[in-house]
Amino acid sequence: MTAVLFIHGFPFDHLMWRHQLAALTRWRCIAPDLPGAGTSRGSKSADEFSMGSYADDLIARLDGLQVGPAVVCGLSMGGYIVFEFLRRFPERVPAAILLNTKAAADTPEAKRGRDALAAAAQHRGVQAVADELLPKVLARATLERQPAVVPEVTEMILRQPVTGIVGALRALRDRPDSTPLLGRIRVPVLVVAGDDDQIAPAAGMEEMARAIPGAQFVLIPESGHLSPLERPAAVNATLNAFLGQL
Ligand code: MLT
C-alpha cells in the first residue's frame, strides 16, 4: 500500500488533514504533528527549529514506522518541508504534492513580519497569532457559506504552544529559496492552489508548477489557504486522482 505523509502548515496541526485522513482509505496515510505543534511538545527551544530539523524529525518517524518511500504532501509550510525532503532525502520521495505553498524565500519585509509576530506571540500569547492570521487564511466563500470552519480553524490556532509558534516563525524566516530546485525535480508532482488564497496566490502557484518538469496543476474554486478544510471533497478527489496514477 502506498504511504502518503501529510505535513501540516503553520500555525496548525495534523487535524487540518482530518477530511483527507477519513476519505483516502486506499492509501497508508501518515499525518504527524510537527515538533512544537499540536500534541507534539518535544524539548526543543525556539532557536532549534528549521525546515531541515522538521524534515529530519519526519524521516525519523517514517523510519520508526518502517516506511521507506512515501509520497510527501505538504500545505504551505508543509510544502517548504517537502522541498527539504526533495533536497535531502530524494530516494525516499517517489512523488510529491504541494498545496497552497510557494518556492521563494521570505523577502526582508516578510522576515521582519515574522519577528514582529514572534514578539507579539511572546508578549500577548497565541491569540495575537490568531488575530493576525485568521483574516487571511479562509476564502470569502468559506466565510459566507461555511461559518463552522471559522471556529474550527480558530481553535486549532489557539491550541498551539507559543514555543512551537516562535520556533516555526524562525524556521519560516530563515528557510532557503527553493526556486532553484524546481527545474531539477524528477518525480511526479501535483500542485494544488486555492483560487482565493491570500497567502500563496494561485498565479504564483501556477508559475511554480510550470517550473517543475511535468507537474500537474489543479485550481480549487472558492478556496482560500486551507483548501483541505474548506473544500475537502474537491481536494480529496484531486489527491485520489493523482495518487491513483502513480
Ligand atoms: C502556512 O500556512 O504554513 C503559512 O502560511 C506559511 C507562511 O506563512 O509562509
Side-chain angles (χ1 to χ4, degrees):
M1 190 186 249
T2 301
V4 185
L5 175 68
F6 287 88
I7 313 176
H8 63 78
F10 166 85
F12 311 118
D13 59 35
H14 79 282
L15 288 174
M16 57 150 287
W17 300 113
R18 69 181 180 90
H19 298 290
Q20 289 64 52
L21 300 177
L24 299 181
T25 50
R26 288 162 62 203
W27 326 104
R28 180 173 180 192
C29 296
I30 301 161
D33 287 334
L34 289 168
T39 54
S40 162
R41 290 293 184 272
S43 54
K44 278 190 163 75
S45 85
D47 290 325
E48 291 173 89
F49 291 82
S50 66
M51 295 306 150
S53 74
Y54 288 135
D56 287 343
D57 179 87
L58 291 170
I59 279 287
R61 290 188 205 215
L62 292 180
D63 289 345
L65 295 168
Q66 297 187 320
V67 171
V71 178
V72 280
C73 171
L75 181 136
S76 201
M77 184 172 84
Y80 311 155
I81 299 169
V82 167
F83 292 134
E84 210 57 49
F85 262 75
L86 288 164
R87 267 190 292 271
R88 296 159 80 109
F89 311 110
E91 73 288 352
R92 301 286 287 265
V93 184
I97 304 172
L98 296 162
L99 295 99
N100 311 73
T101 193
K102 45 197 163 193
D106 273 4
T107 62
E109 188 191 350
K111 285 179 196 279
R112 285 193 290 277
R114 304 288 191 195
D115 289 337
L117 189 55
Q122 281 165 322
H123 292 123
R124 289 202 288 125
V126 69
Q127 184 68 52
V129 179
D131 293 346
E132 164 85 14
L133 295 180
L134 272 171
K136 298 182 188 159
V137 291
L138 297 173
R140 277 159 287 209
T142 305
L143 297 174
E144 282 163 21
R145 282 177 236 143
Q146 299 188 82
V149 177
V150 179
E152 178 172 4
V153 173
T154 308
E155 283 158 28
M156 184 161 45
I157 296 176
L158 292 179
R159 67 174 173 256
Q160 304 308 318
V162 168
T163 308
I165 290 217
V166 172
L169 283 163
R170 290 184 187 157
L172 288 162
R173 177 193 65 190
D174 298 336
R175 74 184 190 279
D177 178 14
S178 293
T179 314
L181 172 74
L182 301 178
R184 301 200 303 266
I185 298 174
R186 293 288 178 271
V187 293
V189 175
L190 170 66
V191 175
V192 183
D195 69 347
D196 194 15
D197 185 342
Q198 298 176 51
I199 295 175
M205 293 210 61
E206 194 166 7
E207 197 181 321
M208 183 175 80
R210 275 199 299 270
I212 302 172
Q216 298 175 34
F217 176 77
V218 173
L219 185 67
I220 306 288
E222 302 193 331
S223 173
H225 193 55
L226 282 176
S227 46
L229 278 175
E230 295 177 84
R231 297 296 313 276
V235 169
N236 292 348
T238 301
L239 299 190
N240 256 326
F242 177 73
L243 291 167
Q245 293 163 13
L246 297 175

